[in-house]
Amino acid sequence: MTSIGGAASTGMVDWNLAVATATRLVRPGPDVSRDEAREIVAELRRHAKASEAHVRGFTRMGTEDTHDTPVLVVDRPGWVRANVAGFREVLKPLLDKMQERRGSGPGGAVLGAVGGKVTGVELGMLLSFLSSRVLGQYETFAPATRELPAGENGGGRLLLVAPNIVHVERELDVEPHDFRLWVCLHEETHRTQFSAVPWLRDHLEGEIQSFLAETEVDPMTVLERVREAAQSLAGGRPEGEEDEGRSLVEIVQTPAQREILARLTAVMSLLEGHADFVMDGVGPDVVASVAEIREKFQQRRAKGASRLDLALRKLLGLDAKLKQYRDGERFVSAVVGQVGMDGFNRVWTSPNTLPTKAEIAKPADWVARVHRKTES
């Protein structure tokens, strides 16, 4: 097995074991023949390519750098490996900090006994759960490798998770070719966002690192929360406790972190809502059955799969992500309706023109602030 970024088996998390565990536990994808699989991969690549012009034309975010970021059609283990590499890079400052505290405090001895291998197994369990739910992702933080190529100018890579796309299109009973293009339009919007707005990646990374730098939580608390999630997957939590407790993000919030998290929530709402807005805006012209797909997909998003799924969504903060789609799309739609697409695109000028969390809920306030400032 390929090591994730070098000496991955040391420290607070055994990253290689996380990958191995997730790969072993991941659910098998839908039943397709080898020839069908090749056709699906080829079609997703074609749709991703076609989506570039559709998205650029609709958003007016013209850029020739989009092709600098590769499109990778992956299976579920491939998604796991990409995300472990990204997590390891982003979480390194926090894990180094936790490592320093390992030998001190009342939890130090216990943490030493637990070790990185147990944590790696538990993280792998969570990743195996998530790997069957993601249709696509613009991954920007993992270092470039032969397995995970990235853009020459610091871009990331666009991941399309083929088995999940096929699973959902069958579950919804929608036209497969239309659904695959519809998904690619959403994910291509994310690639366009980052390629057309060169400061966006560094801004997000800076906010995340500021958030992690403020973390002053006992390492055992973090690991216990991960353990709760893993026990939920294994059916180890007592009946009636599924909806109790806080998310993984909520347990590490200081006052300074709450401010940072509010900014991150706003920008993620913008990015996700913009992708949904573009997907639906382009859809009627290029996806014949877009209305049926959208209706069925929204119903699927809203209801979740089971009590366990709902509990894990809360624990992992996924409910907040679903709210980001809704709030962000309303913001984008309202702003475009008021000042047009070019007026909306002022949002990409600098970090200062990004909406605040309050402005996501009140788009007119963002219009008044940004347009009054730029026109005065």
Side-chain angles (χ1 to χ4, degrees), residues 315-356:
L315 184 62
L316 298 170
L318 299 183
D319 277 342
K321 185 174 178 65
L322 295 177
K323 189 173 185 296
Q324 287 169 10
Y325 284 103
R326 296 191 298 268
D327 294 348
E329 185 175 16
R330 282 195 292 264
F331 171 84
V332 176
S333 180
V335 172
V336 172
Q338 188 170 345
V339 296
M341 186 64 75
D342 291 336
F344 165 78
N345 280 340
R346 291 188 184 180
V347 77
W348 311 116
T349 304
S350 76
N352 293 329
T353 56
L354 291 172
T356 65

Side-chain angles (χ1 to χ4, degrees), residues 153-199:
N153 298 321
R157 72 283 296 164
L158 181 62
L159 307 176
L160 296 171
V161 191
N164 295 350
I165 294 172
V166 173
H167 170 79
V168 173
E169 71 192 26
R170 291 180 178 178
E171 179 185 330
L172 298 181
D173 190 25
V174 293
E175 210 288 317
H177 306 294
D178 283 0
F179 183 75
R180 294 166 196 174
L181 176 56
W182 190 72
V183 170
C184 286
L185 289 170
H186 180 103
E187 302 307 333
E188 178 59 36
T189 303
H190 287 315
R191 185 162 70 147
T192 297
Q193 289 164 348
F194 281 89
S195 58
V197 186
W199 54 263

